[in-house]
Amino acid sequence: MSGELQLPHAARVFVSFVALLRANGFAVAPEQTTAFLAAIELLGPRSLEAIRQAGLATLAPPPERRTTYDRLFDIHFIGSEAIDHAGAEDEEVVRLQEEGRGEDETLLADEANESGLVAARAEALVERRFAASATGDALRKLSREAPARLPRRRGHRRMRARRGPWADLRRTLRESVRNDGEVLRLGRLKRRARPRKILLLIDVSGSMKGRTDDNMKLAHALSHAAPNVEVFTFGTRLTRVTRALRLKRREQALSAAAHLVSDWDGGTRIGDALQAFLAVPRFGSYARGAAVVILSDGLERGDPSALRDAVANLSRRAWRLSWLTPLAAGPGFQPQTEALIAIRRFVDDLVDGGSTVAIASHVLSLGQRKAA
Amino acid sequence: MTVRGNIVGIDSPEALERALRTAYYLADDGLATAAYLGLALGKPLLLEGAPGVGKTEAAKAIAAVLGRRLIRLQCYEGIDASAALYEWNYPRQMLAIRQAGEETIDIYGETFLIERPMLASLRAPDSTVLLIDEIDRADQEFEAFLLEFLSDFQISIPERGTVRAAERPVVVLTSNRTRDLHEALRRRCVYHWIDYPTAEREARIVMMRASSVAEATARAVVAAVGKLRREPLSKAPGIAEAVDWAEAATLLHARGARWPDAFKRSIGVALKDEEDLTFISGRLDALIAEAAA
């Protein structure tokens, strides 16, 4: 049986499919290729469907890229040229977008544009120079101090400690063996503190245009300073940019994020975007027990009741919910818009989000605050 | 490639699908193929999907088909090696040291070892199926530790040496996808994403699981559940909820409640979140009338 497997002719078409997948950004390990070939051999020459299933099971494309996988499969094995590009999108509907999920994604990667970020960057150049240097300082301070100052929670793992609520029986026993079974000192254990999740939701709509570039830079700095940061952008749609921001070089990360986000400087439908966020269990669970920080002016064009419900829901899941708005820059700020008034009682902090300095110092102060 | 001994008599995905049906589990082609490949290639089977699509049930059905005991390791945040592998019985060791006096004793002997699920499955690979449930709940350190186990199927106990499985055990992992799993873990497994079943299949599942439920009721419940899953709910009803709803509605109906009313009054077994209930309450009548039509 295994003789067939060594025939290069029989295997070539399958191996080249793996190469096609890799060329389109699917991570396939050599051992998966072997498993794929073994699976085809096991299932026997039945149908294309069996090969497709064998590929799904062994090459394990992530479910959100299933459409792309199927399309590449059709191109490779059936030779289908009929690649439909997503038609005109209905801007009224808030759509979810996840990294690597776009309908055309890598098939069209070269044509993607980054006009949004370029526009935002041009805007940022107009800022006065002293503001820029203050921003740089704030970002450096954030990167430096975040690991020590961000909120922590008690984990379930235990670690050795001088004092603690549990006896470390393992260590005590080992020591007692050395002393002929005599327990001279009882080792103790305590719970280890772990960094709390941070969920950053960034408004990239037109009214926040002046802040967008700096907010993205801040998100990048925070993603690298803390281990557990999730970042989403929202305007008319919701986009997960966490993975793009994990790229180390800032320019590279921001440009990767710019490729993903397609609603820069558009309208705002915060309520719908947050509802969409909560409706996906995987995303909704990011908020559980997390320090949730929303950077938005709260100028809602949609239904304020959708926003109120979403924020109430978020606040119940979150450890602490902060809403940072540029409108609160001045002292004695009172929310004026209907949306901000509606959500006021659900947020724990409604403070200044008008400068990187203010946002960074609020984020750094989260560690001292208690759960609300 | 030799077919493993653990699937003697099951020589194709279709055969496995039929066998699973005798264990009251209706698998679609994709799941049957993935499970068959997992068993035949001796690789762990990783099942992902929304809560309530039947991932754990699939593992139970596979164990039933193979005639093996299911050992379940429920993952949680902070799970560590001592909860998954083994633990020493320290009080007993202490006592043994005290009682031994001048004699030498082996305090790391078999009698002091408390077997946890992973060790248990390694030591009895021919008679168990290891279910590592909700791996996405465990933290990444545990996932990394699991990688070692899943590639070599061995566990080293410093005091006793390495325990290696002669035969690769059958391992099923499930994940609700609350976070991304490490690529390396996915790579080592045969993967399948379980989707909600089609209405037709789900109606058959409901009737199979709840024999008292009439076909019309099953179809109506499945239609209603299908509509609910398209709403932005914080917890969409799974297959188990559909089965429970059909049973509850049938029960209320048998006790004298009128039909659409019995259906509506038992919504609490399908939607278990106060907010979801409030959200849907305005449209519930229409939704049920439409589903029951």
Side-chain angles (χ1 to χ4, degrees):
Chain A
M1 254 176 103
S2 58
E4 273 178 37
L5 199 64
Q6 269 135 37
L7 280 177
H9 279 296
R12 198 171 292 158
V13 63
F14 303 115
V15 175
S16 63
F17 176 56
V18 172
L20 177 70
L21 286 180
R22 288 203 186 112
N24 279 280
F26 287 84
V28 182
E31 62 192 275
Q32 285 176 293
T33 314
T34 319
F36 179 45
L37 292 176
I40 290 165
E41 197 198 5
L42 255 176
L43 294 175
R46 302 152 160 251
S47 64
L48 269 181
E49 221 28 56
I51 296 174
R52 189 193 301 269
Q53 298 287 5
L56 281 173
T58 51
L59 306 174
E64 68 270 7
R65 297 198 65 191
R66 174 73 199 271
T67 330
T68 315
Y69 171 87
D70 281 338
R71 202 187 294 162
L72 290 171
F73 186 91
D74 291 346
I75 292 171
H76 190 76
F77 288 103
I78 309 175
S80 140
E81 293 296 323
I83 306 168
D84 312 324
H85 295 314
E89 282 148 7
D90 181 5
E91 280 302 322
E92 282 307 297
V93 184
V94 171
R95 291 180 29 144
L96 273 168
Q97 213 169 302
E98 200 182 346
E99 287 146 299
R101 182 177 219 168
E103 288 292 294
D104 299 323
E105 31 177 30
T106 41
L107 294 172
L108 290 178
D110 295 337
E111 293 163 36
N113 67 77
E114 49 177 318
S115 58
L117 192 67
V118 171
R121 231 178 257 151
E123 187 77 10
L125 290 177
V126 188
E127 275 185 48
R128 275 173 295 180
R129 201 166 292 158
F130 78 83
S133 80
T135 301
D137 289 347
L139 288 182
R140 273 188 293 277
K141 184 171 185 233
L142 182 71
S143 302
R144 203 174 48 238
E145 296 184 7
R149 288 180 58 185
L150 286 178
R152 302 170 85 78
R153 62 172 181 79
R154 280 195 309 161
H156 284 274
R157 294 226 167 171
R158 295 172 187 185
M159 60 184 280
R160 281 176 180 209
R162 202 169 285 240
R163 257 175 258 160
W166 297 284
D168 184 350
L169 290 175
R170 190 185 191 112
R171 184 154 55 111
T172 308
L173 182 96
R174 277 165 184 266
E175 280 176 13
S176 80
V177 168
R178 263 177 249 140
N179 301 314
D180 295 330
E182 216 54 59
V183 177
L184 299 178
R185 197 161 58 88
L186 193 59
R188 310 296 304 185
L189 292 171
K190 70 172 184 187
R191 284 169 115 187
R192 187 184 294 181
R194 301 179 64 87
R196 201 170 268 287
K197 284 184 284 186
I198 296 182
L199 172 64
L200 204 54
L201 296 160
I202 304 175
D203 187 341
V204 293
S205 63
S207 58
M208 289 289 287
K209 199 172 169 183
R211 286 286 323 145
T212 300
D213 194 37
D214 279 351
N215 283 349
M216 293 303 287
K217 283 181 188 165
L218 185 128
H220 179 256
L222 191 61
S223 299
H224 287 267
N228 232 339
V229 182
E230 277 291 334
V231 188
F232 288 79
T233 65
F234 65 90
T236 52
R237 52 171 72 185
L238 178 80
T239 312
R240 179 173 181 239
V241 291
T242 311
R243 220 177 286 168
L245 291 180
R246 282 199 196 127
L247 291 171
K248 202 153 179 82
R249 283 187 45 215
R250 186 163 79 187
E251 287 309 309
Q252 216 176 0
L254 293 188
S255 125
H259 280 297
L260 293 168
V261 179
S262 52
D263 57 342
W264 299 106
D265 311 335
T268 327
R269 291 158 57 92
I270 312 174
D272 293 336
L274 294 183
Q275 296 272 19
F277 171 82
L278 292 165
V280 179
R282 193 153 80 93
F283 293 167
S285 69
Y286 291 145
R288 212 170 283 283
V292 179
V293 178
I294 302 178
L295 304 179
S296 167
D297 52 12
L299 293 178
E300 172 70 323
R301 300 203 188 141
D303 177 12
S305 72
L307 175 64
R308 192 191 55 228
D309 292 348
V311 173
N313 193 329
L314 258 183
S315 134
R316 276 195 300 274
R317 294 180 193 214
W319 166 75
R320 190 173 184 95
L321 176 60
S322 310
W323 192 294
L324 275 61
T325 163
L327 304 176
F333 162 74
Q334 283 298 319
Q336 301 286 327
T337 62
E338 197 181 350
L340 275 186
I341 294 168
I343 57 164
R344 195 182 176 181
R345 63 196 174 96
F346 301 114
V347 300
D348 303 310
D349 313 292
L350 182 58
V351 293
D352 181 17
S355 66
T356 303
V357 180
I359 299 172
S361 86
H362 178 77
V363 169
L364 288 176
S365 76
L366 282 172
Q368 271 96 55
R369 290 166 198 259
K370 290 270 178 290
Chain B
M1 175 71 54
T2 48
V3 172
R4 304 269 164 177
N6 53 30
I7 53 165
V8 173
I10 300 172
D11 55 1
S12 67
E14 290 76 22
L16 180 61
E17 197 179 325
R18 282 193 297 276
L20 286 172
R21 207 176 303 156
T22 61
Y24 297 100
Y25 190 90
L26 291 185
D28 60 14
D29 291 347
L31 176 58
T33 309
Y36 171 76
L37 289 175
L39 292 174
L41 299 173
K43 281 176 171 282
L45 175 65
L46 169 60
L47 299 175
E48 280 198 318
V53 290
K55 301 182 290 293
T56 306
E57 285 303 312
K60 288 182 184 165
I62 289 171
V65 162
L66 299 177
R68 296 177 174 203
R69 185 162 62 96
L70 184 80
I71 300 182
R72 180 172 175 171
L73 174 65
Q74 172 66 52
C75 295
Y76 52 88
E77 208 176 320
I79 187 171
D80 59 7
S82 65
L85 294 182
Y86 68 93
E87 182 70 293
W88 292 107
N89 191 339
Y90 301 111
R92 216 166 151 183
Q93 285 175 319
M94 258 344 159
L95 209 62
I97 296 172
R98 289 293 169 92
Q99 284 174 342
E102 295 300 308
E103 289 171 50
T104 43
I105 52 150
D106 177 15
I107 57 162
Y108 295 113
E110 186 65 34
T111 40
F112 303 109
L113 188 66
I114 304 172
E115 218 173 47
R116 300 281 195 227
M118 283 165 72
L119 182 60
S121 80
L122 268 199
R123 298 219 278 191
D126 300 337
S127 57
T128 57
V129 171
L130 174 65
L131 166 64
I132 302 176
D133 217 2
E134 304 194 352
I135 173 70
D136 52 326
R137 285 188 183 216
D139 36 28
Q140 279 161 356
E141 294 154 54
F142 186 73
E143 207 180 315
F145 155 80
L146 206 58
L147 285 179
E148 203 186 319
F149 173 80
L150 293 178
S151 24
D152 304 332
F153 292 104
Q154 65 175 38
I155 289 171
S156 63
I157 303 175
E159 299 86 354
R160 282 172 64 93
T162 304
V163 182
R164 186 176 286 114
E167 181 80 14
R168 291 189 159 208
V170 175
V171 181
V172 181
L173 297 105
T174 74
S175 155
N176 289 334
R177 210 150 192 254
T178 57
R179 67 174 174 83
D180 286 331
L181 295 183
H182 201 285
E183 280 299 325
L185 182 68
R186 294 158 60 90
R187 228 166 42 211
R188 279 174 178 71
C189 301
V190 170
Y191 177 82
H192 183 65
W193 170 264
I194 303 191
D195 229 328
Y196 285 117
T198 59
E200 179 59 37
R201 186 184 298 276
E202 190 164 13
R204 274 164 47 210
I205 295 173
V206 170
M207 283 184 286
M208 193 167 73
R209 291 267 158 153
S211 51
S212 64
V213 172
E215 189 173 343
T217 311
R219 289 191 187 286
V221 166
V222 166
V225 163
K227 284 178 198 302
L228 288 175
R229 283 182 196 145
R230 283 193 287 275
E231 300 287 342
L233 301 176
S234 59
K235 170 72 181 81
I239 298 174
E241 275 83 16
V243 174
D244 290 349
W245 196 7
E247 271 185 325
T250 306
L251 184 73
L252 287 184
H253 185 48
R255 298 278 155 85
R258 288 162 57 85
W259 171 236
D261 197 38
F263 197 0
K264 191 180 153 189
R265 270 167 49 194
S266 47
I267 180 101
V269 296
L271 290 186
K272 295 163 188 171
D273 185 295
E274 190 266 329
E275 233 182 289
D276 287 350
L277 282 171
T278 324
F279 175 76
I280 215 76
S281 62
R283 276 171 300 152
L284 193 58
D285 285 325
L287 192 143
I288 282 180
E290 213 178 304

